[in-house]
Amino acid sequence: IVGTALYQLNILVDTIFASFSSLVGPGAIAAIYYATRLIQFPLSIFGHSISNASLPTLTELAAEEKIHKFAEIVEFSLTNILFVMIPASLGLIVMSQPIIRLLFQRGEFTRYSTAITSTALAFYAIGLSSYAANKFLALCFNSLHDTITPVKISALALALNIILNTFFVIVLKTEIAGLAFASSLSSIASSVILYKILYKRIRLIDSKRIVSQFINMLLAGLIMVLVIFIVWQKLSVYKHHILSLVATICIGITVYILISLFLKIYQAIHIFKWMLRKK
């Protein structure tokens, strides 16, 4: 439980820091709550689902000592996670304010509430890929009958989060942005360390392929973000903001998949072939 609960533990630490309104400003606890609810949407539906679906296969392969196949599943699952989480992360960063405004801004949820919540959402979204990767990598160690390593790394990342929170909030006075950014940085550090340890044990994992796929996905995501920004600027002038937001998101997803196909990202090619079979 401890080894796979880094994200929740970081949020707990952030909430404790957020209770000091003199340091982070009023409304920080509520802002963190609403922001993390939105982060949980792609994380639970895609990130955790991929991890949970992979666990039985990884456990079976580890028991049968089929290390080569185990490495293939690790590579396949990680790239699947990145393929979904990278555009989700970039999209939430760019569209954080309109999303929060349309979903929550009414009644006691004022423009100030929207401002601090969208800031928290954007900085939490930076670590979205690593939140999902941490869950998956911890389960990889569990399938190898090693539950200690994820706990050690989680404890290290939690300590790093506390240090970064203190530095950003007290020294740099970045308020709620610092809290969310600290969680993202500590989560990224945790996922990198977990992967390096796993790679030392299973040298058959193709790290170069994962990195090259990550770069291509990031490039596709950045182009998607540029298109989203331009489209939203055009559509946001209309009164039907919900329809404009949905249209912008759909256009962004379409652009991401098309660019991914152009860059020959396996996941996009697989989705395209599946759609052709359905037709």
Side-chain angles (χ1 to χ4, degrees), residues 221-246:
L222 291 173
I223 295 172
M224 176 203 74
V225 162
L226 179 61
V227 172
I228 283 177
F229 180 79
I230 295 172
V231 170
W232 178 249
Q233 293 299 313
K234 299 292 185 181
L235 296 181
S236 61
V237 298
Y238 296 102
K239 292 182 179 180
H240 301 290
H241 284 179
I242 294 178
L243 292 177
S244 298
L245 180 61
V246 171

Side-chain angles (χ1 to χ4, degrees), residues 109-149:
F109 202 101
T110 62
R111 289 184 179 182
Y112 169 76
S113 303
T114 296
I116 61 173
T117 305
S118 61
T119 298
L121 176 60
F123 280 94
Y124 276 124
I126 293 173
L128 186 57
S129 296
S130 62
Y131 302 146
N134 276 323
K135 170 80 172 181
F136 171 72
L137 292 169
L139 293 179
C140 288
F141 282 98
N142 291 344
S143 66
L144 295 170
H145 303 286
D146 179 4
T147 57
I148 299 299
T149 298

Side-chain angles (χ1 to χ4, degrees), residues 240-262:
H240 301 290
H241 284 179
I242 294 178
L243 292 177
S244 298
L245 180 61
V246 171
T248 301
I249 293 172
C250 291
I251 291 171
I253 293 172
T254 302
V255 169
Y256 179 73
I257 293 175
L258 290 175
I259 298 299
S260 297
L261 286 171
F262 176 76

